[in-house]
Amino acid sequence: MTYEPPVTDYDYIVENCTCAFCGCNCDDLDFLVKNGHVVAVRHACRLGASKVMEDMDQRLLVPMVRNEEGVLEEVDWDTALDTAAEYIANSIRPVFYGWSETSTECMKEGVELGEYIGAVLDNQATICHGPSLQAMQNAGYPIQTLGEVKNRADVIAYSGSNAMNSHPRHLARYAAFPRGYFRQRGRFDRTVITMDPKFSDTAKMSDKWIGFEQNGDYGFYNALRAVLKGKKLQSESVSGIPAEDIYELAAEMEAAEFGVLFFGLGLTHTLGKQRNIDIAIKLVQDLNTNSKWGLTPMRGHFNVNGFNIFMAYETGWAFGVDFCRGYGRYMMGETNTIDLLVRKEPDCFMVIAADPGAHFPNGANQHLADIPVIQIDIHWGPSTELADVVLPGSFISVECGGTSYRMDGVPIWMKKAIDKPETCRDDEWIVRELKERVMKLREEPNVADEYVPNEGLACLLDK
Ligand code: SF4
C-alpha cells in the first residue's frame, strides 16, 4: 500500500456526515469540499472513502432513452419520465427491484406506486440476508443496538462474517476495540471469538477461532445447544471440532455478562440456509437463560435493512412483496425477483440503486434483455447496458439528505453535504414523478387495452 499524504487543499469541511456504504452507517465522517466536490473524507475506512469520493467518469449525468437502433440517446427529463411511466402503466406484471442504496423516503413513494399498479417490490435481501429474515419471522429476534454492544459487551462472536474486510470499522467503532461505559479498557475488556471455516482476517485478530467444516454450521450449533442444555456429546468431534472445545466454548459463552453474536452471509448461505439462522437464534435464546445475549446480521448495503424494516412495517413482509392482487403477499420462490425473471413473468422492470446486470444469474438477465428496463442510479454499470430508460439520481448522504436504517435497526438521518449536478434529480423526486405520471396515464382509457403480454405472461393468463 502506498502512502497518501493528507489532503490540505480544500475550501471547507462538512462535519458529522454519514457513510453510504455498508450497514455500519458510520455517522462521524468529515467531508473535505473544494469547488463543490468532495476531495477527501476523514474517519472513513477505505471502502467508505472511495465510495463517497466522486467517481465522475462513471457518473450518470443525463436522462437517456434507448432508440430504435438500440442506442441510449440523451433526452430531456419530461421525455424520459413519460417513456418510463408508459412502460409501467402498460405493464401487468411489473417488478421494482433494488432500494437498498436509496432513502427510506424514496421507498415510501415506491410502495405507493407499487401498490397502485400491482407491482412486486423486492430488494437485495432476495440474494443476501433473505433466509435470515425468514428465520427472524419464524423464531423471533433477540437484538441489541450497536451502542449497547460498545458500552456493555464483553464477549463478541462473529459467525460466517469477515468483518475486518466487509465492515472495516465494525470492530473499531462498535464491537471489539472501543472503550465503553462498562468496558473502559476497550479490547482488553472483551473476548472476541470467530466461528468460520476460513481463518479470515477477523479470525486472525480474535482470541479464539472455531474453524468448523464447510456446511458444518448447523451440526456445530446443534451440539453447542445440546451442551448448554446439559447433554453429553455422543461423538468425539462435531463438524470437525473436538468435543472438549465445544464444552469449553459453551462455558465461555454462558459466562458472558453481555454477549453478542454477529452473523454474515457465511452462515446464511451455507447448506442449512434459514435453518442455520433458526438455530443461531435458538442458541442465543438458550444463552439468555443464564446470561444476556443478542444477535445481529451483518447487513451489507447501508439501507438494505431500511427497506426490510419499512416493508415489514407497511405490509407485514420484509421483501418480495407482491401487490398484484391489490394487497401485499409474499411467497418464497414465487414472489422473489430471480424466480419471477427465470419464469419470464415480469413485463417491465424498474431497478433503483442496484445492479442486477452484475449480480443476477444469466437466466434472469436474459429475460431482462427482452423486457423494458428502467434504471434509476448514479453510476453507469452492467444494468445500464440492459436499460431502456436511464434516470440519473443523486447520491444520498452526499448530494441529498434522507433516512437510512443501520444494521441494528437504528434510523440515521444522512445529511446533504454538496449540491448535486444540475442535470440530476433526487431519487425520491423521480419516483414521485413516475407515480403521478403513471396514475394520470392509468386514468386515461385504452392504455391497457393495447397491451400484448410477453410469452411467460401469456401462458399464465391462458391458465
Ligand atoms: S465501516 Fe462501513 S459505514 Fe463505516 S466507513 Fe467503512 S464502509 Fe463506511
Side-chain angles (χ1 to χ4, degrees), residues 4 7 25 41-42 50 82 108 123 134 190 251 266 274 281-283 285 309 316 373 379 393 407 431 437 442 462:
E4 288 170 20
V7 173
N25 298 44
V41 181
R42 285 185 185 155
S50 64
D82 283 342
K108 175 177 168 287
N123 82 327
Q134 285 180 289
R190 308 181 203 262
Q274 78 174 86
I281 292 171
K282 296 284 181 199
L283 170 72
Q285 287 170 348
I309 289 174
V373 175
H379 285 129
M407 64 168 70
V431 179
R437 287 168 199 243
R442 274 283 167 125
D462 284 348

Side-chain angles (χ1 to χ4, degrees), residues 50-180:
S50 64
K51 175 153 185 208
V52 171
M53 305 273 284
E54 288 170 90
D55 206 356
M56 289 307 282
D57 58 330
Q58 292 172 28
R59 183 69 195 255
L60 289 168
L61 285 169
V62 287
M64 291 182 282
V65 171
R66 200 170 288 282
N67 64 21
E68 282 173 4
E69 283 82 50
V71 179
L72 281 173
E73 197 174 67
E74 187 179 327
V75 293
D76 59 47
W77 269 99
D78 267 333
T79 309
L81 287 166
D82 283 342
T83 311
E86 265 173 45
Y87 281 138
I88 296 171
N90 282 329
S91 66
I92 54 173
R93 195 75 170 126
V95 174
F96 304 158
Y97 172 82
W99 308 102
S100 301
E101 300 215 333
T102 189
S103 65
T104 312
E105 290 78 1
C106 176
M107 294 170 197
K108 175 177 168 287
E109 300 294 338
V111 170
E112 283 177 16
L113 173 59
E115 201 167 358
Y116 176 79
I117 202 82
V120 173
L121 267 83
D122 201 5
N123 82 327
Q124 285 91 331
T126 203
I127 49 170
C128 64
H129 271 288
S132 313
L133 296 165
Q134 285 180 289
M136 285 165 192
Q137 291 203 324
N138 286 348
Y141 189 16
I143 195 176
Q144 73 301 305
T145 67
L146 292 175
E148 283 179 280
V149 177
K150 174 186 167 181
N151 287 310
R152 294 176 182 276
D154 60 335
V155 178
I156 313 278
Y158 288 99
S159 183
S161 165
N162 184 7
M164 284 287 282
N165 292 176
S166 60
H167 300 71
R169 291 186 78 209
H170 191 268
L171 293 105
R173 189 157 193 253
Y174 304 112
F177 295 101
R179 291 181 183 172

Side-chain angles (χ1 to χ4, degrees), residues 6-305:
V7 173
T8 52
D9 184 17
Y10 56 88
D11 298 334
Y12 59 92
I13 300 176
V14 186
E15 293 179 338
N16 298 322
C17 298
T18 307
C19 176
F21 191 89
C22 81
C24 288
N25 298 44
C26 298
D27 54 356
D28 60 343
L29 311 189
D30 291 348
F31 294 171
L32 278 55
V33 180
K34 185 171 174 59
N35 298 330
H37 295 277
V38 179
V39 291
V41 181
R42 285 185 185 155
H43 308 152
C45 69
R46 278 189 162 245
L47 295 179
S50 64
K51 175 153 185 208
V52 171
M53 305 273 284
E54 288 170 90
D55 206 356
M56 289 307 282
D57 58 330
Q58 292 172 28
R59 183 69 195 255
L60 289 168
L61 285 169
V62 287
M64 291 182 282
V65 171
R66 200 170 288 282
N67 64 21
E68 282 173 4
E69 283 82 50
V71 179
L72 281 173
E73 197 174 67
E74 187 179 327
V75 293
D76 59 47
W77 269 99
D78 267 333
T79 309
L81 287 166
D82 283 342
T83 311
E86 265 173 45
Y87 281 138
I88 296 171
N90 282 329
S91 66
I92 54 173
R93 195 75 170 126
V95 174
F96 304 158
Y97 172 82
W99 308 102
S100 301
E101 300 215 333
T102 189
S103 65
T104 312
E105 290 78 1
C106 176
M107 294 170 197
K108 175 177 168 287
E109 300 294 338
V111 170
E112 283 177 16
L113 173 59
E115 201 167 358
Y116 176 79
I117 202 82
V120 173
L121 267 83
D122 201 5
N123 82 327
Q124 285 91 331
T126 203
I127 49 170
C128 64
H129 271 288
S132 313
L133 296 165
Q134 285 180 289
M136 285 165 192
Q137 291 203 324
N138 286 348
Y141 189 16
I143 195 176
Q144 73 301 305
T145 67
L146 292 175
E148 283 179 280
V149 177
K150 174 186 167 181
N151 287 310
R152 294 176 182 276
D154 60 335
V155 178
I156 313 278
Y158 288 99
S159 183
S161 165
N162 184 7
M164 284 287 282
N165 292 176
S166 60
H167 300 71
R169 291 186 78 209
H170 191 268
L171 293 105
R173 189 157 193 253
Y174 304 112
F177 295 101
R179 291 181 183 172
Y181 190 82
F182 298 106
R183 305 291 161 215
Q184 289 291 323
R185 296 189 310 140
R187 178 71 178 87
F188 299 106
D189 276 347
R190 308 181 203 262
T191 303
V192 180
I193 302 163
T194 295
M195 298 183 269
D196 200 312
K198 277 182 74 176
F199 188 55
S200 61
D201 286 339
T202 309
K204 284 177 200 160
M205 57 68 58
S206 300
D207 299 291
K208 185 180 279 240
W209 172 52
I210 306 289
F212 49 71
E213 290 163 355
Q214 194 81 35
N215 293 320
D217 331 49
Y218 192 88
F220 171 74
Y221 281 118
N222 227 348
L224 204 51
R225 285 192 70 202
V227 170
L228 284 169
K229 286 177 178 294
K231 308 279 186 220
K232 192 171 179 310
L233 296 178
Q234 301 296 310
S235 54
E236 285 179 6
S237 70
V238 178
S239 300
I241 304 297
E244 57 268 26
D245 288 1
I246 298 175
Y247 288 118
E248 192 183 302
L249 178 66
E252 217 165 341
M253 292 176 93
E254 211 172 13
E257 288 177 17
F258 192 110
V260 187
L261 175 65
F262 291 105
F263 66 94
L265 295 182
L267 186 66
T268 312
H269 276 284
T270 53
L271 209 55
K273 294 255 176 165
Q274 78 174 86
R275 297 297 168 214
N276 288 343
I277 312 304
D278 273 351
I279 202 157
I281 292 171
K282 296 284 181 199
L283 170 72
V284 169
Q285 287 170 348
D286 293 346
L287 285 163
N288 275 315
T289 311
N290 297 320
S291 176
K292 171 81 185 109
W293 273 77
L295 101 167
T296 300
M298 299 288 286
R299 303 309 300 269
H301 303 283
F302 70 90
N303 207 15
V304 66
N305 202 19

Side-chain angles (χ1 to χ4, degrees), residues 342-405:
V342 169
R343 289 199 306 268
K344 299 185 187 300
E345 278 188 42
D347 56 347
C348 176
F349 193 85
M350 181 165 82
V351 50
I352 174 160
D355 201 346
H359 304 135
F360 279 8
N362 254 348
N365 279 334
Q366 266 170 17
H367 185 58
L368 285 181
D370 294 337
I371 60 172
V373 175
I374 301 153
Q375 183 191 28
I376 304 172
D377 214 325
I378 57 172
H379 285 129
W380 197 291
S383 294
T384 317
E385 304 300 334
L386 295 165
D388 297 284
V389 183
V390 176
L391 305 167
S394 57
F395 191 169
I396 179 172
S397 90
V398 180
E399 297 166 356
C400 69
T403 312
S404 62
Y405 283 77

